[in-house]
């Protein structure tokens, strides 16, 4: 295999954690205001874990492309990223339910439920982690789409639908028996992932910033 292909793929793959970082930064203050601390901080820890794994993956590919490392699937880094999604996705979904928001009555089970989510993640087997990680991402999309519909921000819901379909495509394609040692296969996966994450950033802007700025300008 041409190591230059892996170098280019590594650079392309950096767009995914960069986009997810932007989404996390945009959502940070809105989710913090909305969710009770017990849910928010577990969600945020999960997001940080995802970003750590997410930046490791393109770094490994880039180093392989530079000839510093020998080729090998970055399985452990994928597990880190997807474990983060497994923590943050369900926690975000549960934490943004109306009964668990800041203005709802205090619930002392918040921390216990969050610890249970973390323990459940550690129990998953390695060969299923990619699929379950996709489930975590899907729960993030569903949660944001729910909030978008609540706030009547339908363009945000539409871009989240694109992200949802992109993640489903990546998951099915990755588990379809395609040769994951082939740069061509990774190119398809990564182009899909970049589109998915770009749409996630657009949805965050439309959901949390765009109309707020317009409403502030009218005030």
């Amino acid at each position: 295999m041409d190591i230059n292909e892996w170098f280019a793929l590594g650079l392309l793959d950096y767009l995914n954690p960069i986009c997810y970082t932007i989404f996390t930064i945009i959502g940070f203050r809105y989710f913090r205001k909305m969710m009770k601390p017990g849910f928010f901080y577990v969600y945020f820890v999960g997001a940080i874990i995802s970003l750590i794994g997410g930046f490791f993956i393109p770094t490994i590919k880039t180093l392989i492309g530079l000839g510093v490392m020998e080729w090998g699937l970055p399985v452990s880094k994928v597990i880190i990223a997807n474990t983060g999604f497994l923590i943050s996705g369900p926690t975000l979904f549960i934490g943004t339910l109306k009964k668990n928001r800041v203005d709802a009555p205090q619930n002392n089970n918040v921390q216990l439920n969050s610890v249970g989510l973390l323990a459940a993640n550690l129990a998953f087997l390695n060969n299923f982690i990619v699929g379950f990680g996709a489930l975590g991402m899907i729960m993030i999309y569903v949660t944001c789409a729910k909030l978008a519909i609540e706030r009547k921000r339908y363009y945000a819901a539409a871009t989240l639908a694109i992200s949802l379909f992109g993640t489903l495509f990546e998951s099915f394609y990755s588990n379809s028996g395609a040769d994951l040692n082939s740069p061509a296969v990774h190119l398809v996966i990564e182009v899909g992932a970049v589109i998915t994450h770009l749409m996630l950033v657009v949805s965050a802007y439309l959901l949390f910033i765009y109309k707020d700025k317009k409403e502030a300008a009218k005030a």
Side-chain angles (χ1 to χ4, degrees):
M1 64 182 66
D2 186 348
I3 60 173
N4 289 325
E5 291 179 311
W6 291 112
F7 179 75
L9 287 170
L11 294 181
L12 175 64
D13 206 10
Y14 271 115
L15 289 174
N16 295 312
I18 288 171
C19 286
Y20 195 66
T21 299
I22 295 170
F23 169 80
T24 302
I25 291 170
I26 292 174
F28 180 86
R29 75 183 179 97
Y30 295 94
F31 293 140
R32 186 178 62 176
K33 288 180 180 179
M34 181 184 301
M35 299 163 67
K36 290 183 177 178
F39 283 113
F40 173 76
Y41 289 116
V42 174
Y43 154 73
F44 190 64
V45 167
I48 296 299
I49 293 171
S50 293
L51 288 172
I52 291 170
F55 277 105
F56 266 131
I57 294 167
T59 300
I60 294 299
K61 291 178 182 177
T62 304
L63 291 174
I64 290 168
L66 291 171
V68 176
M69 296 178 63
E70 293 184 1
W71 162 248
L73 286 173
V75 175
S76 61
K77 312 307 181 292
V78 172
I79 290 172
I80 292 171
N82 285 292
T83 297
F85 290 133
L86 275 168
I87 295 170
S88 58
T91 306
L92 184 64
F93 180 81
I94 296 170
T96 55
L97 296 175
K98 290 184 178 179
K99 66 179 181 179
N100 293 325
R101 296 184 187 179
V102 169
D103 54 0
Q106 182 63 36
N107 182 355
N108 293 325
N109 292 325
V110 167
Q111 287 80 5
L112 181 60
N113 291 338
S114 302
V115 171
L117 286 169
L118 177 59
N121 281 299
L122 298 177
F124 288 124
L125 298 175
N126 289 355
N127 57 326
F128 293 112
I129 201 75
V130 173
F132 284 119
L135 178 61
M137 279 299 300
I138 288 168
M139 293 191 77
I140 291 172
Y141 304 147
V142 169
T143 301
C144 290
K146 174 171 64 72
L147 296 174
I149 292 169
E150 277 182 19
R151 303 178 74 181
K152 297 181 180 179
R153 303 193 175 181
Y154 300 116
Y155 288 122
T159 55
L160 285 160
I162 296 172
S163 289
L164 171 60
F165 287 124
T167 295
L168 290 173
F169 167 77
E170 292 168 50
S171 181
F172 287 132
Y173 186 69
S174 298
N175 292 281
S176 66
D179 181 9
L180 294 178
N181 292 305
S182 166
V185 170
H186 279 269
L187 178 62
V188 173
I189 294 171
E190 288 169 18
V191 168
V194 167
I195 293 171
T196 294
H197 284 84
L198 284 173
M199 289 299 100
L200 184 62
V201 171
V202 171
S203 71
Y205 175 78
L206 293 172
L207 175 56
F208 297 121
I209 297 175
Y210 177 65
K211 276 200 172 180
D212 289 346
K213 287 176 66 176
K214 288 184 69 175
E215 290 166 3
K218 290 179 181 177

